[in-house]
Amino acid sequence: MPGLIDAHTHLLSEMDGTKVNEQDLEMLRIVTTQSTAERALLGARLAREELESGITTVRDLGNSGVNGDVALRDAINRGWLPGPRIVAATRALASPGGQFGRLTPEAQKLIEQEYVTINGPQSARQAVRQALYDGADCIKVIVNGAGRSNVTLDEMKAIVEEAHAAGVKVAAHAIGDAATRTAAEAGVDSIEHAYVVPDDVLKMMAQKQIFLVPTDATLQQYEDMLFGSRQPTAEERSRIEKGFKPMADSVRDRLQRALKLGVPIAAGSDMYLTLPGKSRGQASLMVLESYAEAGMTPMQIVRAATSNAAKLLGLQNRLGVLEPGKLADLIAVPGDPLKDITALEHANFVMKDGVVVKHQK
Ligand SMILES: [Zn+2]
């Protein structure tokens, strides 16, 4: 098969999965205790784990310190260390506060370690130009973050215009009616998450061929995260399952609606949390199970993680299918992924750009 592509990851961030509900604090821990250099070294480990799992290309969407993703990308391209091909975003553009909770005035300087704050269309254009100068291959925008002010339609249009003029695509983190509509109207290339999105926005996405990147999780994955290596009590488990179910049902429903309306889907894990006993690559591939649970066919899932993702990354002329003239990124898996999609979680042969990375007998 073609090498797998994860269109939404964060190789320079690792949060404790058991603290999935305290992400504000985890983010503060990272920016106050880990230098970008340290995060790039963490990224070196996670990049190897991704590649060994058969993920030969990723789009890394921010939370990388100041341009740590560019450093990791370039190091991999130079052959200094093994890892997937990286399409890097540099710092995400966001309205004040980024994805931090409310911080004291003294602490607000930390925000610029992770996000570039934009205020108005002109500053949005400037932020895109800065990202391009910093080495970005794509632009990530947090349309709605933790604060109460979202990126506006005018700002979003300025970002898309500036990025597209440079031949670079725009990924928009957006959840809910208003934010997804802003992103779709502005003509971004992908909407990330969109756990809540109305049908008229999905129709607009289908018409403009804007990708949905559904960064969904299965209940099992959520439980593994929350409890870590600890065994939950029966009461804890039933409480978590009750809380998770309504959310999971509505997220599955939106993926089914998107498919029905013809929205193109690219696979993206958004994996930045530790899962007990799993490498980053293994944890990332679990997102494919959530697609199966939502009713995507195995072939739809394979395409989402190969040819569709390649198209979203603008790499469809080089990656995503097995054809003469394409780069030799390929994997082999035991079993038939068109019968059981979890076969993709067990690649035993991985080749990137003609070089064998893994070959298990
Ligand atoms: Zn993300």
Side-chain angles (χ1 to χ4, degrees), residues 8-10 61 63 140 173 193 270 272:
H8 186 136
T9 193
H10 301 282
L61 291 180
N63 297 109
K140 165 89 178 286
H173 163 115
H193 321 302
D270 196 20
Y272 54 83

Side-chain angles (χ1 to χ4, degrees), residues 269-332:
S269 67
D270 196 20
M271 188 45 65
Y272 54 83
L273 294 148
T274 53
L275 261 89
K278 289 215 149 55
S279 76
R280 173 61 73 92
Q282 290 165 333
S284 298
L285 290 173
M286 287 179 78
V287 76
L288 306 179
E289 289 181 42
S290 77
Y291 301 162
E293 282 187 3
M296 281 176 78
T297 66
M299 187 50 111
Q300 282 174 325
I301 297 172
V302 167
R303 287 208 176 107
T306 56
S307 53
N308 276 15
K311 196 168 169 215
L312 169 57
L313 272 51
L315 297 172
Q316 70 275 19
N317 294 329
R318 297 173 16 193
L319 297 174
V321 291
L322 296 186
E323 259 175 28
K326 300 286 192 289
L327 295 178
D329 278 14
L330 36 120
I331 63 168

Side-chain angles (χ1 to χ4, degrees), residues 10 13-20 23 26 29-30 34 42 45-46 49 220-229 270-284 286:
H10 301 282
S13 282
E14 185 177 59
M15 292 186 184
D16 182 343
T18 62
K19 297 190 175 143
V20 64
Q23 294 193 18
E26 278 291 274
R29 175 185 64 77
I30 290 172
Q34 294 184 342
L42 165 70
R45 191 196 94 212
L46 299 177
E49 292 179 0
Q220 187 59 53
Q221 192 181 352
Y222 187 62
E223 282 183 355
D224 289 352
M225 242 175 231
L226 268 183
F227 297 114
S229 36
D270 196 20
M271 188 45 65
Y272 54 83
L273 294 148
T274 53
L275 261 89
K278 289 215 149 55
S279 76
R280 173 61 73 92
Q282 290 165 333
S284 298
M286 287 179 78

Side-chain angles (χ1 to χ4, degrees), residues 227-290:
F227 297 114
S229 36
R230 183 171 76 81
Q231 206 47 254
T233 64
E235 194 231 337
E236 276 177 320
R237 171 158 281 150
S238 93
R239 185 160 41 83
I240 295 299
E241 288 176 7
K242 248 183 232 144
F244 185 83
K245 193 168 183 312
M247 186 179 78
D249 287 349
S250 87
V251 162
R252 275 179 211 155
D253 170 67
R254 78 90 167 74
L255 186 47
Q256 284 162 6
R257 284 185 289 125
L259 287 165
K260 208 179 290 166
L261 292 168
V263 178
I265 310 287
S269 67
D270 196 20
M271 188 45 65
Y272 54 83
L273 294 148
T274 53
L275 261 89
K278 289 215 149 55
S279 76
R280 173 61 73 92
Q282 290 165 333
S284 298
L285 290 173
M286 287 179 78
V287 76
L288 306 179
E289 289 181 42
S290 77

